[in-house]
Amino acid sequence: MNILLTGGAGYIGSHAAVVLTEAGHEVVLLDNFSNSNKSVLKRIRKILGRSLPCIEADVRDTDIVERVLREYKIGAVIHFAGLKAVGESVANPISYYANNVQGSINLFQVMQKVGIKTLVFSSSATVYGEPKYLPFDEDHPKNPMNPYGRSKLQVEEILRDLADSDSEWKIACLRYFNPVGAHESGLIGEDPNGIPNNLMPYVAKAASGELPHLNIFGDDYETCDGTGERDYIHVMDLAEGHMAAISYLKNHAGFTCVNLGTGKPLSVMDLLNAFEKVIGKNLKKVVVQRRSGDLPCYYASVEQASIQLNGSAFRSIEIACRDIWKFQKADNFQ
Ligand code: NAD
Ligand code: UDP
């Protein structure tokens, strides 16, 4: 099938592009490069042995999106494009709603006009907010704690209404937990601008000497060892989840939301221990105050993913550490 990946040059989109192409799909990328580097296209080409068409455009540019949908005879869209930094969304909510909600509405309008009604949407575990119980299953109450999370929930609600209004739509919202790792080649991965917010890229930069040490945000939580617990999923498992979602939608109309996680929480110390094992040395770390707004622990129920997407085999945290370390050490941006 011909599949359009909005935000396809980004961290998750680039891995999905590789997985889908290797499975025989024809992939087209559309990205405005607001949070990605054009050199990713060359690196994808190195992995695949051929280049993928990429249109530099904003998803809100409806004329270009319409042209791309028609010209490439797109059969399904995976909508990754969006902004994703929680802190930034609190400081600048309008740009988050404009990109994430307005951008999505524009895309869905064009898809409807052209008659393309198969969609996978990048949602997030942040839609759940504070846990009433764990693991989070898909029916857990939704109460996102920041504009970023609310932008994701608003798009989910729009999509539910859209599917209710027209039975031809086939929509899967995938709620990602904590994506980590990189492609095993070390050619593509996550390279945030400036100081990373997330744990794994921060650890990788501390290990390479780019950052002096790692701050552990609190060791007095009621968790296995006092540090925060999360559900870290290898980005390649996540990418494969998108391929499974596309297959699922072939035979299932309507609207579904599915968690993409491993179902197993790991603490900051678990992740650090795995990383230190991979690189064969201890990292400098300092325990500092809890980060404001952090939850002690959350992780996914994976029951629905295993029923709908056959998701079960997960790469280990050690493999994720190995792959991100390979990416961190490679000279990918020359
Ligand atoms: P990313 O920033 O690496 O990729 C997003 C891509 O979209 C970037 O290449 C960016 O340039 C592009 N983009 C942003 N706004 C655009 C616009 N208006 N038009 C065209 N392109 C645009 O992020 P990612 O980690 O790959 O995340 C992909 C999606 O998954 C996002 O929607 C994000 O909110 C969601 N998500 C990510 C995580 C995570 O931890 N990485 C977790 C849950 C959900
Ligand atoms: N964390 C940390 N130091 C860092 C970054 C994160 O101790 O430099 C902790 C954070 O408090 C949380 C876990 O690592 O318990 C995962 O944080 P991340 O920001 O990666 O994911 P999120 O909190 O958004 O799920």
Side-chain angles (χ1 to χ4, degrees):
M1 191 193 298
N2 296 352
I3 305 174
L4 176 67
L5 272 49
T6 72
Y11 173 42
I12 303 169
S14 57
H15 291 80
V18 167
V19 166
L20 290 161
T21 306
E22 284 176 341
H25 293 289
E26 290 298 328
V27 167
V28 178
L29 314 180
L30 182 142
D31 204 298
N32 66 1
F33 295 101
S34 58
N35 196 38
S36 46
N37 189 307
K38 285 182 190 163
S39 70
V40 75
L41 303 173
K42 271 194 269 171
R43 292 180 274 118
I44 291 175
R45 188 172 68 211
K46 256 194 193 165
I47 295 171
L48 293 173
R50 71 172 175 103
S51 53
L52 298 179
C54 179
I55 292 85
E56 181 172 356
D58 194 293
V59 80
R60 286 167 289 183
D61 189 333
T62 47
D63 289 345
I64 296 188
V65 174
E66 181 174 345
R67 182 174 58 71
V68 170
L69 292 178
R70 292 189 194 280
E71 197 173 298
Y72 289 94
K73 300 192 173 27
I74 297 297
V77 177
I78 307 184
H79 182 34
F80 294 105
L83 303 178
K84 63 168 182 178
V86 168
E88 208 176 70
S89 79
V90 175
N92 196 353
I94 295 298
S95 79
Y96 271 67
Y97 290 118
N99 250 283
N100 295 5
V101 182
Q102 187 61 53
S104 298
I105 292 173
N106 287 10
L107 171 68
F108 308 153
Q109 277 177 326
V110 179
M111 287 177 70
Q112 195 162 38
K113 181 176 174 195
V114 178
I116 296 161
K117 298 185 180 176
T118 299
L119 174 78
V120 177
F121 171 62
S122 292
S123 190
S124 167
T126 55
V127 298
Y128 295 117
E130 223 159 290
K132 302 273 182 239
Y133 56 83
L134 284 170
F136 281 137
D137 58 34
E138 287 79 357
D139 294 329
H140 184 281
K142 318 297 177 293
N143 192 13
M145 294 153 68
N146 50 64
Y148 167 68
R150 283 188 279 278
S151 75
K152 291 291 175 188
L153 186 56
Q154 286 171 12
V155 175
E156 284 195 6
E157 285 168 348
I158 289 166
L159 288 172
R160 188 187 297 274
D161 289 340
L162 185 57
D164 283 348
S165 74
D166 175 351
S167 61
E168 287 179 4
W169 276 92
K170 299 172 166 183
I171 299 171
C173 295
L174 303 182
R175 294 182 182 145
Y176 311 154
F177 280 67
N178 291 59
V180 288
H183 188 264
E184 62 178 5
S185 64
L187 283 164
I188 55 173
E190 184 179 22
D191 190 48
N193 294 329
I195 297 178
N197 290 312
N198 295 115
L199 179 62
M200 179 73 106
Y202 202 108
V203 171
K205 284 195 189 289
S208 72
E210 265 182 61
L211 294 169
H213 63 264
L214 174 78
N215 292 314
I216 297 177
F217 296 145
D219 66 352
D220 55 353
Y221 285 111
E222 279 185 32
T223 56
C224 66
D225 59 20
T227 64
E229 291 176 327
R230 296 288 183 273
D231 185 338
Y232 298 99
I233 175 165
H234 195 294
V235 66
M236 289 299 285
D237 288 320
L238 201 64
E240 285 161 12
H242 291 76
M243 198 171 66
I246 290 284
S247 304
Y248 172 83
L249 292 179
K250 258 187 221 151
N251 306 313
H252 296 85
F255 173 87
T256 187
C257 289
V258 185
N259 288 337
L260 283 186
T262 64
K264 291 187 192 69
L266 292 177
S267 70
V268 173
M269 288 313 298
D270 289 332
L271 189 144
L272 270 175
N273 290 337
F275 208 95
E276 288 177 343
K277 212 166 93 187
V278 164
I279 64 172
K281 66 173 185 194
N282 289 337
L283 293 172
K284 234 180 174 183
K285 34 203 171 291
V286 180
V287 177
V288 297
Q289 278 199 332
R290 292 179 178 191
R291 184 170 63 179
S292 137
D294 260 359
L295 293 168
C297 171
Y298 63 90
Y299 58 104
S301 159
V302 293
E303 211 170 300
Q304 201 151 314
S306 69
I307 297 167
Q308 296 185 325
L309 310 179
N310 295 321
S312 59
F314 294 111
R315 293 163 175 87
S316 66
I317 194 69
E318 285 79 13
I319 291 184
C321 294
R322 179 201 70 187
D323 294 341
I324 195 176
W325 186 230
K326 209 166 173 188
F327 176 72
Q328 177 70 39
K329 284 188 303 174
D331 219 358
N332 280 320
F333 299 95
Q334 294 310 304

